């Protein structure tokens, strides 16, 4: 009761002589997408000053911790960021879904190479690169120092596509800045 008719498994129903439905287990092939925002605030257009880098470095370290956990637990993982590799290189930083030690090393190399130079605003990055990818069935972790209505709209669109979206990082950074 309550299962939609389209989920009835007709072959299994005929074989078992009772109605059988397909089981949709989204955790059968878990996927984790780590997205790092290198902007300290939504209206930031300039570079991050050296004395302001520590909280962003902590977000990158947190992303690396998630990646290590995913590797150890057999979870396919992807990584993306709105940063540049350097001032002259406008290529995006993205590592597609994969698993295992080699993929983990590829993500660590990408995280180590990125510079805290914003390539584009984080909402624009989500709208132009992540949303059009059609990703579905993934757990997205957004590591960002701020959350805004624009980011919430993007998160809602990603949720409507069948993903979970979690924001991480602001409380840890606020605690750090309060101490400084």
């Amino acid at each position: 009761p309550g299962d939609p008719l389209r989920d009835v498994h007709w072959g299994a129903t005929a074989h078992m002589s009772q109605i059988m439905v397909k089981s949709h287990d989204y955790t059968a092939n878990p996927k984790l997408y780590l997205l790092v925002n290198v902007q300290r605030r939504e209206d930031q257009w300039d570079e991050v000053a050296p004395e302001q880098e520590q909280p962003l470095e902590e977000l990158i370290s947190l992303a690396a911790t998630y990646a290590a956990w995913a590797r150890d637990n057999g979870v396919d993982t992807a990584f993306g960021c709105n940063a540049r590799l350097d001032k002259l290189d406008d290529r995006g930083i993205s590592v597609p879904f994969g698993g295992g030690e080699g993929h983990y090393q590829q993500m660590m190399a990408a995280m180590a190479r990125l510079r805290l130079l914003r390539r584009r605003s984080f909402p624009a990055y989500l709208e132009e690169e992540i949303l059009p990818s059609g990703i579905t069935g993934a757990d997205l972790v957004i590591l960002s120092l701020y959350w805004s209505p624009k980011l919430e709209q993007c998160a809602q669109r990603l949720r409507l596509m069948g993903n979970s979206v979690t924001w991480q990082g602001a409380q840890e950074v606020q605690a750090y800045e309060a101490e400084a």
Side-chain angles (χ1 to χ4, degrees):
D3 287 321
L5 195 55
R6 70 175 182 268
D7 285 348
V8 172
H9 192 298
W10 295 107
T13 297
H15 181 72
M16 300 296 290
S17 299
Q18 69 179 32
I19 294 181
M20 305 296 287
V21 294
K22 297 174 185 171
S23 175
H24 298 286
D25 186 5
Y26 295 108
T27 60
N29 294 313
K31 296 186 292 187
L32 178 64
Y33 206 143
L34 302 170
L35 297 164
V36 175
N37 178 9
V38 296
Q39 287 178 262
R40 290 184 47 84
R41 59 188 190 283
E42 191 167 38
D43 63 348
Q44 175 186 335
W45 289 95
D46 54 343
E47 293 183 30
V48 176
E51 64 273 6
Q52 298 174 331
E53 290 180 356
Q54 182 63 32
L56 292 169
E57 294 287 349
E58 289 177 9
L59 289 181
I60 296 164
S61 176
L62 187 56
T65 301
Y66 275 116
W69 175 89
R71 176 204 55 201
D72 294 344
N73 289 280
V75 176
D76 280 352
T77 309
F79 171 72
C81 184
N82 65 329
R84 295 174 181 257
L85 293 175
D86 62 48
K87 287 183 181 183
L88 303 175
D89 192 342
D90 196 36
R91 288 181 296 163
I93 299 170
S94 179
V95 179
F97 282 103
E101 185 62 32
H103 185 265
Y104 171 75
Q105 292 301 326
Q106 183 182 5
M107 283 194 301
M108 293 301 99
M111 289 180 199
R113 288 181 55 211
L114 72 86
R115 299 295 171 250
L116 300 179
L117 302 169
R118 183 184 71 99
R119 182 172 160 248
R120 66 178 62 169
S121 76
F122 197 66
Y125 168 73
L126 294 175
E127 290 173 354
E128 295 168 13
E129 295 187 34
I130 304 303
L131 285 162
S133 72
I135 185 170
T136 186
D139 297 312
L140 285 81
V141 177
I142 295 176
L143 300 143
S144 176
L145 299 183
Y146 72 89
W147 195 252
S148 70
K150 286 181 185 178
L151 289 178
E152 183 58 35
Q153 288 174 347
C154 291
Q156 283 297 88
R157 289 174 55 197
L158 287 162
R159 289 181 187 110
L160 289 173
M161 293 167 61
N163 302 293
S164 72
V165 179
T166 304
W167 169 45
Q168 179 110 36
Q171 291 180 342
E172 293 84 354
V173 171
Q174 287 173 357
Y176 171 80
E177 289 181 344
E179 293 173 7

